Amino acid sequence: MRLDPTELTEDEQALREGVRAFLAARLPAGSYPLGLGMGGDVDPQFSRDLGAKGWLGMALPKEYGGGGRSAVDRLVVVEELPAAGPRGASPGSPYRQSGPNIAANGTEEQKRTWLPRLCRGEVIGCFGLTEPAVGSDATKLQSTATRDGADWVLNGRKMWISNGSVSKLALVFANADPSKGHKGITAFLLDREKSPY
């Protein structure tokens, strides 16, 4: 793929300046504990504030609570959040990973249940891929999923899950059909409000 260089439009530049001004006022230096990744502090109110601005789920369809905006608009915000420091970086990843995946592959019920809540910042999601023995190589996942009547039972271990301790929604990858090798891997939505895990 080849992408030609481009310049931000006036509207895109205005969006960037608006995000910068908001972050400077909302996250002044020294106003939050430092830490990244698993050691980072998570502020659910900050996620809701971003949702209220329409900056979560920006490129998701409007009918599911998204902004229906361009990928460039979304990238403008995604670039500015971590530039504001660790607190700014913490909300971005779950929305980029969970939201688009649900929008592209989820059932209608999953889209209507989760996407508006993710876009409003009411729910923090997490992404369960990495495993102790294989790292993030999705083709070698050892976690399995087996049918138990109408339910699925997931077995395995995940690690390095950003926001895992506070998330209400987990997108977990497991092999539902090991006979197909990596083609048997399926993404499961785990409602952590209903599950102890």
Side-chain angles (χ1 to χ4, degrees), residues 30-79:
S31 68
Y32 56 87
L34 296 178
L36 291 172
M38 298 296 287
D41 184 50
V42 177
D43 180 357
Q45 183 57 52
F46 181 58
S47 292
R48 290 189 292 273
D49 292 346
L50 291 174
K53 289 282 194 183
W55 294 339
L56 297 176
M58 292 179 71
L60 294 178
K62 288 184 178 182
E63 62 263 36
Y64 302 116
R69 296 179 71 164
S70 74
V72 173
D73 285 347
R74 180 175 91 45
L75 289 171
V76 166
V77 175
V78 167
E79 284 187 349

